[in-house]
Amino acid sequence: MTDAPTPLDLVAEDPENDRTDGAPVSLSESTTGGTSERTDGHAWRHETGPRHTPTSTLANGPVISPPHTVDAFVKAFLHELNFGQGVPLSRSSVNDQYLALARTVRSYLMARWLETARRRRTDKPAKMVGYLSAEYLLGRQLDNALLATELTDIATEAMVACGIEIDDLRQQEVEPGLGNGGLGRLAACFIDSMATLGASSIAYGIRYEYGIFQQTFVDNRQVEKPDAWLSMGGPWGVVHPEMEVPVNFGGHVETYVGEDGRERRRWTPAWGVMALRYNYMVPGYQNGVVNTLRLWRARATESFDLHIFNAGDYAEAVRAQTFAENISKVLYPEDSTPQGKELRLQQQYFFVAASIKDFIQHTMPKDFDVRDLPERIIFQLNDTHPVIGIPELMRILLDEHDLEWEEAWAITKQCFAYTCHTLLPEALEVWPVSLMERLLPRHMEIIYRINEDFVAELRETYPGDELRVRRMSIIADHPERSVRMAHLATVASVKVNGVAALHSELLKEKVLNDFSELWPERFTNVTNGVTPRRFIKLSNPEQSKLISDTIGKGWVANLDRLEELVGYADDADFREKFRAVKAHNKTRIRNVLVSRDGIALPEGHLLDVMVKRLHEYKRQSLKLLHIVTLYDRLISGEVDPSTVTPRTVVFGAKAAPGYAMAKETIFLINSVAQTVNNDPRVDGRLFVAFPPNYNVTLAEKLIPAADLSEQISLAGKEASGTGNMKFALNGALTIGTDDGANVEIRQLVGDENFFLFGMTEPEVAELQAKGYRPGEYYERDPQLRRAIDLIASGHFTKGSRDAVSSFVGDLLYNDRFLALADYAAYIEAQDKVEAAYGDQDNWSRMAILNVARTGFFSSDRSIRDYIDRIWHVKTGV
Ligand code: NBG
């Protein structure tokens, strides 16, 4: 047992520490030890001096990968269990076993990780992508790591040999929910694809101690609980306390005269924290590549005041520590309080400053000349959250490397590219100047200077057009003096991209119109994608097997090959098998929901699924009106239940804790579900389920079971959507508006295989310009009126009208996202869905064509687009 392979015995260098001087970094403790978090980290803190340089020839030798055999795997597993967890198999808990299994798999990844770094080092140093994202909604890691390393069967057998059911260990993993929704999940899909393409890249973010909150329902209302995802151990992260970087805040800036007689600015910060480096491995799909996701955790520079502690004031003794460490404490939900805002800006600067410093100081060779940065890095800004990186790089070049402004600006402008993920003006981040001045005074100064130059350029280009200058300025004057981060990003980036064709057009025409007029060549589109590894291969093994049996296995890394399935849509035998897959997946979700939530879905229903963040523009309220209409038809005797297509609607959605209307909608969905599911008049024809705490793990089970995918946002509001792609690829048909990536899905699958409804974006704009009055729709449409009246009457809320008054009032008198205007068209489209579902054979045909024609939505294609249009980095490395 003790001779288990330990791949790291033979290497002594840090992956992504690209130094050519070979300065080695010990990886030992956290990679082989029982805990991935070193608690005695402060012992390392000041160890920045010269490191031990190994003289052995093994130091730069090849990395030995543990053998891919059941026997070797068992040995490695027992080694981890015995010497990592410190327990014999006979006395180990499921958690011990899970941790040991995860670390065993990790050691296989580690070998590839080291090898990837070694390979890249020997090459002529290539330009890298630095992906900067405040969110990564990763989902569980174990299965993905097994798939990538082709160890699934071996690990399963090895566990059997140990008398362990591997499924029990799978359930033990708490997913790292370090993101709110689509934006964070996109980042996770993208890093998977970068690794699969072998793109030279490193991803940076924050290791939040608490991820997206755990949602529970109490009396039908959302109650949030902290997501302590690390409480049972975090086996996938490898901490390097000796590589931490300081990040500073506050203080003041002063002028001084340098030795050369030049005037310079000096920032004297008031306080700082240490950014502690955690590496997570990102394996490519069966290509031997393992990339790095580097997440930062904040640690106080001084752990606590021993003097005060000894005097007995324990709370005061740790006050500074708590304050500093709050920075990476919790993932920020959207929409929050002003106090929260400051912390949010701290988080953003914290991770971006740590990442840029890490890249320049640790990833680049020691003698690296910052003037070469544009040849070595392109930082991709995932939304505005990391945009503070622009003034930070300027600060480094000006204050730490003594460059002149013009030179620093020329360099900085080549090092960033910006992805915008929204069309809602209120979602574009804006920071009060007063806050910036207090927290980052030097950065504020730099932003002022960038703006000064920019505004001067504008006045030259558009003489006399002060209105335009004011619109475009990075600094806004109203309602409060503030910094528009999207403008800063646009001014400083090589490229600005939207995330779907329509979104990129609307960005140019609307949100950033002035900028696209000024710099048309700067704007481009990269339509989002999803990783077929997690969202088909792992989540839908039955469909994957059917596809592989039909066209071979190559589709997983080349999703365009799904096109080869087109002909099979006309093959009755294939359709039969395809239906069997769906039936299997429905049984699977039924079992999952029974054991997870005690929800028993009825059998034989059309499974209609709406899963996404709860937001008014996504219009969960419109879906609710549809359900109430179906219910009303059933209980009023208007239809004979036996003629109605039985339907189950499943919702999954979290509302930002401070978003009152979203929370009201959750309450109402739950209330409607309760009433509908218990009304005998419904006669088993309609069922509504809202399992709490929708997350990646649930998505993986739910999406493959769906028949119908709800993508019903108001046209012009959903930047892309990525759930829509996952559903189509898993054989669900879409009912959707002409919005976001729905547009491209429909174009690819064909109008006849898509249920389109609702206003187009120009129609929306026209109606709004005319003056939208939701009450008119209510007056005009008896079916709509009945649905709203039924809600307003308190029918679903135990007779309480008060409980629904804000929801109903908003619909009738505000309805910002025009749900009532699209209601009639939506109901009509849903009626078509029911009719179509009646012809099962044709439905399968349509579903197969959805799968066959949506290979375009692989995130591998998205990343190739980023590489061709924006990054220009090498692949296959
Ligand atoms: C979201 C959009 C989605 C889009 C994802 C990923 C934000 C700010 N934006 O439509 O709402 O699919 O980003 O691009 O979360």
Side-chain angles (χ1 to χ4, degrees):
M1 238 184 284
T2 50
D3 60 352
T6 46
L8 297 163
D9 286 347
L10 294 177
V11 289
E13 286 183 65
D14 183 18
E16 306 309 346
N17 181 358
D18 217 5
R19 292 210 156 149
T20 43
D21 64 353
V25 178
S26 164
L27 272 169
S28 59
E29 179 177 330
S30 50
T31 55
T32 54
T35 168
S36 62
E37 282 197 46
R38 202 179 321 208
T39 46
D40 64 343
H42 59 277
W44 288 86
R45 180 137 6 107
H46 302 293
E47 199 211 71
T48 49
R51 296 167 194 284
H52 160 72
T53 304
T55 46
S56 161
T57 50
L58 290 177
N60 290 307
V63 183
I64 308 294
S65 183
H68 273 51
T69 64
V70 174
D71 198 37
F73 197 95
V74 168
K75 280 184 183 162
F77 170 73
L78 292 175
H79 185 89
E80 286 293 352
L81 198 57
N82 296 163
F83 305 116
Q85 285 303 105
V87 286
L89 179 58
S90 59
R91 298 186 61 82
S92 58
S93 67
V94 173
N95 197 52
D96 288 326
Q97 294 165 7
Y98 161 68
L99 292 174
L101 175 61
R103 281 200 206 95
T104 306
V105 179
R106 200 182 74 175
S107 68
Y108 282 82
L109 288 179
M110 194 82 73
R112 294 170 184 222
W113 188 43
L114 293 165
E115 192 52 38
T116 302
R118 204 175 76 97
R119 238 189 357 255
R120 286 184 184 165
R121 246 193 327 267
T122 52
D123 258 351
K124 189 174 155 288
K127 179 177 172 184
M128 291 177 81
V129 181
Y131 198 79
L132 296 175
S133 177
E135 301 188 14
Y136 293 90
L137 193 48
L138 294 168
R140 284 181 177 163
Q141 297 297 291
L142 178 61
D143 271 327
N144 190 51
L146 287 171
L147 174 69
T149 46
E150 299 175 80
L151 282 167
T152 311
D153 293 343
I154 288 174
T156 309
E157 272 184 57
M159 292 305 101
V160 170
C162 296
I164 293 169
E165 180 52 67
I166 194 170
D167 250 347
D168 296 340
L169 307 196
R170 286 195 172 101
Q171 304 306 322
Q172 193 63 23
E173 179 171 359
V174 183
E175 69 166 75
L178 311 184
N180 279 289
L183 178 141
R185 185 52 237 177
L186 185 78
C189 285
F190 277 6
I191 57 177
D192 178 278
S193 286
M194 285 184 235
T196 295
L197 294 176
S200 174
S201 55
I202 175 163
Y204 288 109
I206 302 173
R207 183 180 176 277
Y208 302 101
E209 193 177 331
Y210 295 89
I212 176 86
F213 64 85
Q214 301 270 341
Q215 179 192 51
T216 59
F217 296 138
V218 176
D219 296 333
N220 290 340
R221 294 192 178 274
Q222 171 177 297
V223 173
E224 303 96 27
K225 300 243 165 71
D227 169 52
W229 68 288
L230 291 164
S231 64
M232 298 296 273
W236 301 101
V238 182
V239 64
H240 292 279
E242 76 287 5
M243 303 290 284
E244 62 188 2
V245 273
V247 178
N248 295 319
F249 295 94
H252 63 275
V253 189
E254 65 207 359
T255 304
Y256 73 101
V257 180
E259 280 167 17
D260 56 2
R262 250 175 62 203
E263 269 198 0
R264 292 198 177 74
R265 299 287 284 163
R266 174 162 51 211
W267 177 26
T268 310
W271 57 283
V273 297
M274 285 295 180
L276 206 53
R277 168 207 271 218
Y278 282 75
N279 285 335
Y280 290 78
M281 281 164 274
V282 185
Y285 174 67
Q286 301 184 354
N287 64 349
V289 171
V290 176
N291 278 352
T292 304
L293 167 62
R294 184 158 294 162
L295 302 182
W296 301 102
R297 172 185 158 196
R299 186 164 67 185
T301 42
E302 298 304 329
S303 43
F304 63 92
D305 190 321
L306 190 59
H307 188 69
I308 300 178
F309 189 89
N310 286 340
D313 190 348
Y314 306 125
E316 181 54 27
V318 296
R319 201 184 55 79
Q321 185 182 9
T322 310
F323 174 76
E325 295 183 358
N326 270 344
I327 291 182
S328 58
K329 186 66 83 187
V330 54
L331 168 75
Y332 203 81
E334 305 110 314
D335 302 80
S336 257
T337 55
Q339 304 88 288
K341 272 206 138 185
E342 171 156 0
L343 184 58
R344 171 73 161 176
L345 182 57
Q346 288 174 11
Q347 290 188 333
Q348 297 184 351
Y349 179 64
F350 165 74
F351 98 87
V352 168
S355 306
I356 295 179
K357 184 167 288 174
D358 175 76
F359 184 81
I360 295 177
Q361 286 188 359
H362 296 144
T363 305
M364 291 295 96
K366 236 186 205 154
D367 55 357
F368 175 66
D369 183 345
V370 287
R371 290 176 182 83
D372 296 337
L373 263 179
E375 282 93 71
R376 299 302 303 273
I377 188 78
I378 176 90
F379 287 113
Q380 186 66 38
L381 304 166
N382 195 30
D383 219 85
T384 46
H385 316 144
V387 168
I388 193 70
I390 292 163
E392 170 65 2
L393 182 57
M394 283 298 286
R395 186 193 67 78
I396 292 172
L397 298 177
L398 295 168
D399 300 358
E400 293 178 9
H401 292 269
D402 266 349
L403 263 51
E404 296 289 346
W405 179 273
E406 281 68 27
E407 195 177 11
W409 182 236
I411 292 168
T412 300
K413 272 196 334 183
Q414 296 174 70
C415 289
F416 292 94
Y418 162 55
T419 306
C420 177
H421 292 266
T422 190
L423 282 162
L424 301 181
E426 70 267 26
L428 294 175
E429 274 182 313
V430 156
W431 294 111
V433 164
S434 55
L435 170 59
M436 289 280 285
E437 275 171 343
R438 180 155 41 84
L439 203 61
L440 298 167
R442 178 64 176 133
H443 298 76
M444 193 59 237
E445 222 175 64
I446 291 170
I447 293 169
Y448 272 133
R449 172 70 200 275
I450 294 173
N451 197 45
E452 218 172 88
D453 291 359
F454 173 55
V455 164
E457 184 189 331
L458 287 178
R459 293 204 166 110
E460 222 167 88
T461 317
Y462 305 106
D465 196 348
E466 272 311 297
L467 222 58
R468 183 187 290 259
V469 173
R470 225 176 300 157
R471 280 201 310 267
M472 295 179 77
S473 169
I474 295 168
I475 311 287
D477 288 322
H478 298 288
E480 176 182 19
R481 237 174 124 64
S482 46
V483 184
R484 296 160 164 157
M485 300 309 269
H487 291 202
L488 177 57
T490 306
V491 168
S493 287
V494 189
K495 291 280 177 190
V496 176
N497 77 287
V499 290
L502 174 67
H503 175 233
S504 294
E505 280 313 303
L506 292 174
L507 267 190
K508 285 192 283 184
E509 281 167 24
K510 303 204 158 170
V511 186
L512 296 172
N513 178 250
D514 292 320
F515 292 90
S516 81
E517 280 181 17
L518 181 61
W519 300 310
E521 69 296 336
R522 196 169 294 192
F523 287 78
T524 187
N525 172 246
V526 178
T527 297
N528 283 169
V530 301
T531 170
R533 271 71 66 185
R534 181 175 293 269
F535 288 107
I536 309 177
K537 180 79 176 126
L538 288 172
S539 66
N540 199 342
E542 302 285 321
Q543 182 180 304
S544 299
K545 181 168 184 313
L546 177 59
I547 299 173
S548 295
D549 289 349
T550 311
I551 62 169
K553 290 184 174 163
W555 60 273
V556 182
N558 180 5
L559 209 59
D560 288 335
R561 288 202 44 207
L562 292 180
E563 186 79 35
E564 293 166 33
L565 292 172
V566 168
Y568 289 91
D570 292 321
D571 177 334
D573 181 48
F574 186 83
R575 286 200 299 267
E576 179 93 39
K577 289 181 183 152
F578 193 82
R579 267 198 297 283
V581 168
K582 197 52 92 181
H584 170 94
N585 291 338
K586 284 184 175 182
T587 306
R588 186 178 66 159
I589 188 65
R590 220 174 287 127
N591 294 336
V592 167
L593 290 183
V594 165
S595 64
R596 181 185 189 271
D597 306 304
I599 298 175
L601 297 185
E603 288 186 45
H605 281 207
L606 181 163
L607 191 62
D608 175 355
V609 182
M610 182 162 192
V611 284
K612 45 188 81 256
R613 285 180 292 134
L614 203 314
H615 202 291
E616 287 162 281
Y617 83 78
K618 295 177 184 279
R619 302 199 295 191
Q620 279 92 353
S621 56
L622 180 57
K623 180 74 232 164
L624 198 55
L625 288 174
H626 172 233
I627 293 170
V628 172
T629 296
L630 292 179
Y631 172 72
D632 179 46
R633 285 178 186 169
L634 286 166
I635 63 165
S636 65
E638 187 186 308
V639 295
D640 172 357
S642 68
T643 65
V644 170
T645 303
R647 183 194 296 249
T648 290
V649 183
V650 180
F651 286 94
K654 290 181 182 177
Y659 189 174
M661 188 50 75
K663 290 181 129 177
E664 287 304 313
T665 308
I666 287 183
F667 167 71
L668 194 54
I669 295 172
N670 278 323
S671 303
V672 167
Q674 208 169 36
T675 308
V676 167
N677 297 349
N678 292 302
D679 192 328
R681 293 171 293 179
V682 167
D683 200 23
R685 298 281 138 175
L686 181 62
F687 189 84
V688 183
F690 192 168
N693 205 42
Y694 176 66
N695 56 11
V696 177
T697 306
L698 182 58
E700 289 166 9
K701 296 293 188 291
L702 187 52
I703 292 172
D707 295 307
L708 188 65
S709 155
E710 297 278 350
Q711 309 299 337
I712 62 178
S713 53
L714 176 65
K717 299 297 173 202
E718 187 70 271
S720 165
T722 45
N724 47 5
M725 303 168 185
K726 293 165 200 160
F727 280 102
L729 284 163
N730 282 279
L733 301 187
T734 305
I735 183 162
T737 48
D738 231 358
D739 199 15
N742 291 356
V743 176
E744 287 151 271
I745 294 178
R746 184 172 58 81
Q747 282 163 357
L748 286 164
V749 305
D751 285 353
E752 64 288 6
N753 301 309
F754 188 105
F755 299 96
L756 174 70
F757 77 96
M759 290 174 287
T760 59
E761 192 281 327
E763 286 166 354
V764 169
E766 197 188 311
L767 178 56
Q768 279 170 331
K770 235 171 48 194
Y772 171 59
R773 278 181 297 276
E776 287 175 8
Y777 294 83
Y778 169 83
E779 296 297 340
R780 234 186 287 147
D781 184 339
Q783 199 173 217
L784 172 61
R785 197 161 60 234
R786 279 168 57 171
I788 293 181
D789 287 350
L790 197 55
I791 296 171
S793 73
H795 179 81
F796 301 104
T797 44
K798 305 194 173 93
S800 168
R801 293 160 168 267
D802 284 352
V804 288
S805 61
S806 61
F807 181 90
V808 171
D810 187 82
L811 266 190
L812 288 179
Y813 301 107
N814 180 28
D815 191 18
R816 186 175 158 211
F817 297 102
L818 282 56
L820 301 200
D822 270 343
Y823 168 85
Y826 182 50
I827 299 293
E828 197 186 313
Q830 286 285 7
D831 291 344
K832 284 192 192 139
V833 167
E834 288 191 14
Y837 196 70
D839 181 352
Q840 274 294 295
D841 212 34
N842 191 48
W843 184 277
S844 305
R845 196 177 171 280
M846 292 158 74
I848 292 164
L849 288 174
N850 265 262
V851 175
R853 292 177 176 162
T854 47
F856 173 77
F857 297 108
S858 167
S859 46
D860 299 345
R861 189 270 315 145
S862 305
I863 292 302
R864 258 185 262 113
D865 286 351
Y866 274 98
I867 290 172
D868 294 346
R869 295 171 198 172
I870 303 172
W871 300 339
H872 310 294
V873 297
K874 281 208 284 189
T875 53
V877 288

